[in-house]
C-alpha cells in the first residue's frame, strides 16, 4: 500500500476511542462462535482473556497502535492473533469490519448518550438552583429585544429548563431507535455461517436485531439523530449564552459573572468578559457543522457499505466532546452567576411595561380590545413625546382619553399585581412559577 494511502485512510488515530466497545462486541461474537461450534471452549477462553488483557493495556496507555493496521478493530485483532495464534485468527469468522464497526459505534454512542443526558440534567439543576435563589426577582420580559412585560426572572430561567427537558427526550429517542444490533449483517449479505444474533444482542444489551443486512451495515441515521439532537442542544446553549452576554453588560446590569468564569482584558483594566458564553455561542457552529458534514457524506452513497462512512466518527466525536464540555461549563457559570436584584427589578418596574394591563382593564369595562389598544397607544405616545412616565401623565389627559380608569390609575402600575393576574397554566404569576419550580426541585433535589 502506498504510504500516502495508508496515511490518508487510517482511522485508528481517532477510532481508538472505540476500543472498549470493540472488545465487548468481539467477546460476544466469540461466544456466539463457540455456541455455534466454530470455536472450542478453550479457544473462546483464550480469545476472551487475550482481548481483556489488550483492553487493559490500551486503557493504561501501554499499547502501541499502528497506522499500518488502519483502524482500532484491525489493531486489536492482529495483536490478539500475535499473542494467541490460530484461535485469534478465528475471531473474524462470520463477521466483517462493516457490521463490526456499525455495532461498536452503537455501543459507544449508547454510553455517550447517557453521559450527555447527565450533562443536560446538570445544567437543568444549575438553572433551577439559580431560579430558586432568586425567586422574587422581577425583570422585563422582551420581544424583539424591546422591553415588553414584566416577568419573574425564575420564569425566564425555567424556560431553558423546559428546553433542556426536550433535549433530554431527544437523546432518549435517539438511544431507543438506535437500540438494535447490526452484527450478523456481515459485509452486506450476512454469512453462510449462522450465529444466534438474538443471543449476541442480549449479551450486548440490545433490545432487537436489525432486519436488513444492507441497511445494517450502511445505516448511520442514529449518528445523524444524535448530531441533530446535539445541534439543538447547542442552539439552546447559545441562546442562554446570549442572554448572559446581555445581562452582564453595563447597559443591562442584571447579572455579574464570577471572577472564575470571566476574563479580564490585557488592555482595559475595567473589563470583565463573558468568554464562556461567547465560546459556547461560537462552538454551536461546530455542532451545526458536524450535522451537515455527515448529512453530506451520506447523501450520495450507493447501497451498501462505502468507505465514505469512515467519516462518520470524527463528526460524532467532536459533537459529543463539544456538547459535553459546553453543558458542564455552562452549568458551572450559571451556578456562580450573581443576579443584581435592584437593577432587574428597577427595569421591570418601568411603567410602560404595563400598557397592556391598562388595555385589559378597559376591556373589563366593556371597551372592545382594539379600541382599548388605541386609547392606551395614544397615552403611550404622549408619554414618549413628553418624557413623562405613563403612570405620571396629567389627570386631565386621562380624564379626557379614558375616564373609565380615573381613580385606579396609579394602582394599575404595580407589576406584582399585574403578574398575579397572569395565572393561566404556563403564565408567569409568582404562584405558577413557584409551583413549577417545586416540580423541578422534586426531580433535581
Ligand atoms: N476503518 C473503517 C471505518 O471506520 C472500517 C472499514 C471497514 N470496511 C472496509 N470494507 N474497509 O469505517
Amino acid at each position: 500500500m502506498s504510504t500516502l494511502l495508508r496515511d490518508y485512510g487510517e482511522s485508528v488515530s481517532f477510532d481508538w476511542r472505540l476500543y472498549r466497545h470493540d472488545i465487548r462486541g468481539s467477546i460476544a461474537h466469540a461466544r456466539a462462535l463457540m455456541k455455534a461450534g466454530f470455536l472450542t471452549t478453550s479457544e473462546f477462553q483464550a480469545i476472551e482473556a487475550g482481548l481483556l488483557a489488550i483492553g487493559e493495556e490500551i486503557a493504561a496507555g501501554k499499547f502501541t497502535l499502528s497506522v499500518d493496521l488502519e483502524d482500532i478493530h484491525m489493531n486489536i485483532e492482529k495483536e490478539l492473533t500475535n499473542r494467541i495464534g490460530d484461535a485469534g485468527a478465528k475471531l473474524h469468522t462470520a463477521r466483517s469490519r462493516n457490521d463490526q464497526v456499525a455495532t461498536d459505534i452503537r455501543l459507544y454512542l449508547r454510553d455517550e448518550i447517557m453521559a450527555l443526558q447527565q450533562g443536560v440534567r446538570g445544567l437543568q439543576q444549575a438553572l433551577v438552583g439559580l431560579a430558586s435563589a432568586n425567586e422574587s426577582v422581577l425583570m422585563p420580559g422582551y420581544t424583539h429585544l424591546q422591553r415588553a412585560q414584566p416577568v419573574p426572572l425564575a420564569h425566564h430561567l425555567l424556560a431553558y429548563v423546559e428546553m433542556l427537558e426536550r433535549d433530554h427526550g431527544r437523546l432518549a429517542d435517539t438511544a431507543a431507535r438506535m437500540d438494535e444490533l447490526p452484527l450478523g449483517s456481515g459485509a452486506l449479505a450476512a454469512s453462510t455461517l449462522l450465529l444466534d444474533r438474538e443471543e449476541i444482542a442480549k449479551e450486548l444489551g440490545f433490545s432487537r436485531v436489525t432486519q436488513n443486512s444492507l441497511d445494517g451495515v450502511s445505516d448511520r441515521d442514529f449518528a445523524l439523530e444524535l448530531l441533530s439532537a446535539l445541534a439543538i442542544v447547542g442552539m439552546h446553549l447559545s441562546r442562554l449564552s446570549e442572554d448572559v452576554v446581555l445581562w452582564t453588560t453595563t447597559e443591562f446590569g442584571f447579572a455579574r459573572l464570577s471572577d472564575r468564569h470571566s476574563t479580564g482584558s490585557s488592555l482595559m483594566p475595567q473589563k470583565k468578559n463573558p468568554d464562556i458564553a461567547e465560546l459556547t455561542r461560537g462552538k454551536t457552529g461546530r455542532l451545526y457543522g458536524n450535522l451537515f458534514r455527515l448529512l453530506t457524506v451520506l447523501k450520495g452513497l450507493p447501497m451498501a457499505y462505502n468507505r465514505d462512512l469512515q467519516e462518520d466518527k470524527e463528526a460524532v466525536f467532536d459533537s459529543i466532546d463539544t456538547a459535553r464540555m459546553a453543558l458542564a461549563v455552562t452549568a458551572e457559570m450559571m451556578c456562580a452567576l450573581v443576579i443584581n436584584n435592584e437593577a432587574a427589578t428597577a427595569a421591570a418596574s418601568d411603567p410602560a411595561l404595563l400598557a397592556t394591563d391598562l388595555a385589559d382593564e378597559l376591556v373589563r369595562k366593556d371597551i372592545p380590545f382594539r379600541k382599548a389598544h388605541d386609547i392606551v397607544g395614544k397615552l403611550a405616545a404622549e408619554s414618549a413625546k413628553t418624557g413623562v412616565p405613563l403612570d405620571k401623565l396629567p389627570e386631565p389627559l386621562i380624564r379626557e382619553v379614558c375616564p373609565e380608569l380615573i381613580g385606579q390609575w396609579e394602582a394599575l402600575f404595580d407589576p406584582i399585581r399585574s403578574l398575579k393576574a397572569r395565572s393561566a397554566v404556563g403564565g408567569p404569576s409568582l404562584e405558577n412559577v413557584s409551583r413549577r419550580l417545586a416540580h423541578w426541585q422534586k426531580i433535581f433535589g
Side-chain angles (χ1 to χ4, degrees):
M1 185 187 283
S2 141
T3 319
L4 272 177
L5 170 53
R6 182 198 67 188
D7 294 346
Y8 192 55
E10 67 83 19
S11 56
V12 68
S13 56
F14 48 88
D15 68 16
W16 63 267
R17 292 203 202 199
L18 301 175
Y19 76 91
R20 271 194 213 93
H21 304 91
D22 187 69
I23 286 170
R24 269 197 73 191
S26 283
I27 291 173
H29 180 69
R31 199 186 314 278
L33 286 172
M34 172 181 68
K35 288 186 178 156
F38 298 114
L39 290 176
T40 65
T41 307
S42 63
E43 284 171 330
F44 168 73
Q45 286 166 345
I47 288 174
E48 182 177 44
L51 287 173
L52 291 174
I54 290 171
E56 275 165 32
E57 285 167 38
I58 298 176
K62 286 193 218 134
F63 191 92
T64 314
L65 297 164
S66 162
V67 291
D68 289 323
L69 293 165
E70 186 176 310
D71 53 28
I72 187 65
H73 321 288
M74 286 177 69
N75 268 269
I76 290 175
E77 189 193 331
K78 184 78 191 326
E79 179 62 22
L80 180 71
T81 307
N82 287 346
R83 292 184 188 187
I84 68 171
D86 269 356
K90 289 185 177 181
L91 174 61
H92 213 52
T93 307
R95 184 175 77 170
S96 154
R97 259 183 308 145
N98 297 352
D99 57 348
Q100 183 180 1
V101 172
T103 302
D104 293 357
I105 312 178
R106 286 168 193 248
L107 287 169
Y108 173 82
L109 292 186
R110 188 168 67 193
D111 288 349
E112 292 296 329
I113 286 174
M114 282 194 310
L116 285 161
Q117 285 181 306
Q118 278 170 19
V120 169
R121 288 280 180 250
L123 178 53
Q124 285 181 305
Q125 197 166 11
L127 291 168
V128 168
L130 188 63
S132 327
N134 296 281
E135 210 181 323
S136 60
V137 177
L138 301 187
M139 62 174 278
Y142 294 81
T143 64
H144 313 272
L145 202 53
Q146 307 281 326
R147 284 184 185 175
Q149 292 171 339
V151 293
L153 180 114
H155 196 55
H156 188 125
L157 294 171
L158 291 186
Y160 285 102
V161 177
E162 303 284 348
M163 288 147 80
L164 289 161
E165 190 62 20
R166 293 192 294 275
D167 289 325
H168 192 272
R170 264 183 290 273
L171 290 168
D173 291 347
T174 302
R177 222 175 343 269
M178 192 179 77
D179 183 18
E180 32 184 58
L181 174 81
L183 200 65
S185 302
L188 76 161
S191 171
T192 59
L193 309 167
L194 291 184
L195 303 184
D196 187 342
R197 297 187 66 207
E198 298 285 352
E199 261 310 296
I200 302 175
K202 208 183 288 170
E203 171 166 350
L204 293 177
F206 286 103
S207 310
R208 317 176 286 283
V209 301
T210 53
Q211 296 295 318
N212 181 306
S213 62
L214 300 173
D215 185 44
V217 290
S218 62
D219 166 36
R220 293 293 184 273
D221 290 1
F222 56 93
L224 285 178
E225 285 188 39
L226 176 59
L227 292 178
S228 161
L230 295 181
I232 298 175
V233 166
M235 178 272 288
H236 289 158
L237 294 182
S238 189
R239 290 184 61 189
L240 176 61
S241 297
E242 179 58 20
D243 277 340
V244 169
V245 170
L246 287 172
W247 289 5
T248 55
T249 56
T250 311
E251 286 74 7
F252 272 74
F254 295 172
R256 191 160 44 77
L257 288 162
S258 78
D259 287 343
R260 289 184 62 226
H261 301 98
S262 55
T263 62
S265 156
S266 51
L267 184 80
M268 300 161 281
Q270 85 284 10
K271 289 286 285 285
K272 195 158 169 173
N273 297 328
D275 292 34
I276 291 179
E278 293 171 300
L279 284 166
T280 304
R281 205 173 52 189
K283 282 175 193 289
T284 298
R286 286 181 184 235
L287 298 173
Y288 291 8
N290 287 331
L291 172 61
F292 274 83
R293 179 172 169 183
L294 187 57
L295 278 169
T296 310
V297 167
L298 295 172
K299 72 180 267 289
L301 297 188
M303 196 67 88
Y305 182 89
N306 299 271
R307 189 64 183 279
D308 318 42
L309 290 174
Q310 180 170 298
E311 289 290 314
D312 61 353
K313 288 169 209 66
E314 284 164 297
V316 165
F317 294 158
D318 184 60
S319 278
I320 288 172
D321 292 345
T322 303
R324 260 173 92 161
M325 278 286 275
L327 285 163
V329 75
T330 305
E332 232 191 67
M333 172 184 75
M334 295 312 286
C335 274
L337 195 71
V338 181
I339 299 297
N340 183 341
N341 187 359
E342 288 83 73
T345 304
S349 309
D350 177 349
L353 303 194
L354 295 180
T356 325
D357 291 61
L358 300 181
D360 287 354
E361 197 56 29
L362 290 171
V363 167
R364 285 196 189 90
K365 316 248 188 236
D366 209 28
I367 296 175
F369 178 75
R370 289 290 177 203
K371 278 192 184 156
H373 186 278
D374 265 11
I375 292 171
V376 179
K378 271 188 204 111
L379 293 174
E382 182 65 17
S383 158
K385 198 173 86 194
T386 59
V388 178
L390 202 52
D391 58 332
K392 298 284 186 285
L393 286 176
E395 197 188 310
L397 176 65
I398 294 153
R399 195 175 290 282
E400 179 199 324
V401 182
C402 50
E404 298 82 357
L405 298 183
I406 284 293
Q408 60 179 135
W409 186 252
E410 298 256 330
L412 286 171
F413 289 93
D414 175 9
I416 298 283
R417 176 188 169 283
S418 162
L419 277 176
K420 199 168 175 60
R422 300 177 179 276
S423 60
V425 175
S429 76
L430 289 168
E431 295 72 16
N432 276 354
V433 171
S434 148
R435 205 172 315 117
R436 196 62 183 158
L437 204 46
H439 161 84
W440 292 119
Q441 278 161 341
K442 210 159 40 188
I443 297 176
F444 303 123

